[in-house]
Amino acid sequence: MAYQTLEKVNTIPWQERPDGNTNVIWRYSDNPIIERDAIPSSNSIFNSAVVPFEDGYAGVFRCDNKAVQMNIFAGFSKDGLNWDINHDPISFQEGNTSMIDSDYKYDPRVTFIEDRYWITWCNGYHGPTIGIGYTFDFKEFFQCENAFLPFNRNGVLFPEKIDGKYAMLSRPSDNGHTPFGDIYISYSPDMKYWGEHRCVMKASPFEDSAWQCTKIGAGSVPILVDEGWLMFYHGVINTCNGFRYSMGAAILDKDQPDQVKYRTQPYLISPQTPYECVGDVPNVVFPCASLHSIEEDKVAIYYGAADTVTALAFGRISEIVQFTKENSL
Ligand code: BMA
């Protein structure tokens, strides 16, 4: 397959679909973009989030160390591909609370809302729950109250308030390798108190779409398109060899995002390449962020591969929306 040279167009890392590839999403030819040992202390760097920042990009990276302790690190890039990740983890100051306990941090997402970058992650507080913090400059970071009671994972903020309130997707879970999981939405007037919890979408019946029949979780920050909020999510099947994580897309109603308008029956990407199938946890594709340009009709999706490295995939937003509408569960 012939790949075009990667070009930077309107701030989005981009590579055209390879000749002969008929899939709606295609992988970057030089994946993985971040190797497991990109900083001296790391065992693995995956499930990480990036945003446009100044004249390039910033990110918050999950780097598990060689004691396999999970923590999050800031990083910077000019092109979205080559990253300089700080060698020390993020140190949080007190935000809207003095209770900033954290046994571990993993699977960050980053969302710019109004005047600052909000970070959500899976925070260890008597088990996993959703931690929240913010930064203006990716140098100083402030930690806020946890959003929910334990146990919860995959907290993903919407990039703007909905009906005057912050909105967050999350996935109530257990304290282990959760064998269930549906996506909920919650609202907050102030990023401290969360309520109005509503179920958004559930794992699917096995016979309808088996790749997402065990559990599902929100992936990247939703993108507003004409049809509503386009959201990439992960879906899991429990096979005879363990969990297998793939990626799908859903479109949620713009004003009432607990209403699912469309949701892909087929996956968009499943673990198929060596770096997705082989690693510390085989067979994992886990999206946590995307960069997009509505004008250019482009999206670049960042995902963790096999809980080991960070990879990139591309798609045309209009094609993904059309595919999601035409192949909806
Ligand atoms: C989930 C989380 C993710 C991980 C996935 C697959 O429970 O721990 O960070 O990618 O399992 O191991």
Side-chain angles (χ1 to χ4, degrees):
M1 286 189 284
Y3 286 89
Q4 291 192 5
T5 318
L6 190 127
E7 47 185 304
K8 190 173 167 189
V9 182
N10 270 11
T11 76
I12 306 298
W14 183 253
Q15 189 175 51
E16 291 295 344
R17 177 188 270 116
D19 292 342
N21 184 323
T22 55
N23 294 319
V24 70
I25 297 283
W26 58 97
R27 294 168 177 81
Y28 177 41
S29 58
D30 278 346
N31 272 346
I33 58 165
I34 302 172
E35 298 287 357
R36 64 184 308 162
D37 56 356
I39 62 172
S41 61
S42 61
N43 165 75
S44 46
I45 305 180
F46 59 109
N47 298 5
S48 300
V50 308
V51 284
F53 177 67
E54 295 180 343
D55 61 346
Y57 307 92
V60 177
F61 296 86
R62 171 179 175 173
C63 305
D64 294 5
N65 68 16
K66 289 168 186 159
V68 194
Q69 295 171 295
M70 304 176 284
N71 214 334
I72 56 178
F73 294 62
F76 302 90
S77 174
K78 288 280 178 239
D79 60 6
L81 296 165
N82 298 288
W83 287 89
D84 289 319
I85 299 174
N86 292 348
H87 290 191
D88 292 314
I90 292 172
S91 172
F92 283 94
Q93 303 172 47
E94 293 176 5
N96 66 11
T97 178
S98 60
M99 204 301 284
I100 58 171
D101 292 1
S102 181
D103 294 331
Y104 49 78
K105 299 182 178 77
Y106 67 86
D107 293 2
R109 274 76 165 183
V110 184
T111 321
F112 185 80
I113 310 174
E114 293 173 338
D115 64 345
R116 67 193 73 183
Y117 300 90
W118 290 93
I119 304 158
T120 54
W121 67 90
C122 187
N123 192 44
Y125 179 74
H126 303 274
T129 186
I130 304 303
I132 302 179
Y134 63 85
T135 183
F136 295 97
D137 54 11
F138 288 89
K139 293 192 184 95
E140 282 194 313
F141 293 84
F142 300 87
Q143 187 171 337
C144 298
E145 282 286 330
N146 292 322
F148 308 116
L149 292 168
F151 309 113
N152 201 310
R153 291 179 169 97
N154 299 305
V156 179
L157 286 163
F158 284 74
E160 57 188 66
K161 289 180 175 172
I162 294 174
D163 199 17
K165 286 169 279 195
Y166 297 103
M168 181 165 24
L169 301 166
S170 75
R171 211 279 301 287
S173 64
D174 69 10
N175 196 16
H177 300 295
T178 315
F180 61 88
D182 304 322
I183 299 175
Y184 285 74
I185 191 168
S186 307
Y187 296 92
S188 173
D190 56 5
M191 278 286 186
K192 186 167 190 177
Y193 299 101
W194 292 86
E196 297 173 64
H197 314 291
R198 302 282 184 275
C199 185
V200 177
M201 59 191 226
K202 291 177 171 275
S204 70
F206 176 81
E207 61 276 17
D208 291 345
S209 181
W211 65 270
Q212 51 182 327
C213 73
T214 300
K215 53 182 172 176
I216 56 173
S220 52
V221 172
I223 299 169
L224 192 55
V225 297
D226 289 344
E227 287 80 359
W229 293 102
L230 172 65
M231 191 227 351
F232 300 110
Y233 67 99
H234 65 261
V236 181
I237 180 173
N238 193 10
T239 74
C240 57
N241 275 325
F243 288 147
R244 179 180 169 86
Y245 285 67
S246 303
M247 181 182 90
I251 299 174
L252 313 178
D253 184 82
K254 178 178 187 295
D255 303 313
Q256 291 181 288
D258 58 327
Q259 303 297 314
V260 180
K261 293 174 71 177
Y262 311 99
R263 164 185 180 182
T264 52
Q265 183 174 27
Y267 58 73
L268 296 181
I269 293 186
S270 74
Q272 296 183 8
T273 65
Y275 54 89
E276 294 160 352
C277 297
V278 178
D280 285 5
V281 181
N283 303 318
V284 180
V285 161
F286 199 95
C288 284
S290 66
L291 298 171
H292 72 275
S293 166
I294 296 287
E295 301 73 34
E296 297 276 336
D297 193 23
K298 290 172 177 167
V299 63
I301 303 165
Y302 290 74
Y303 64 98
D307 284 13
T308 304
V309 295
T310 304
L312 187 57
F314 304 104
R316 295 278 180 190
I317 295 170
S318 62
E319 293 179 4
I320 298 166
V321 168
Q322 188 186 353
F323 182 87
T324 306
K325 290 166 81 167
E326 288 176 358
N327 297 277
S328 191
L329 251 187

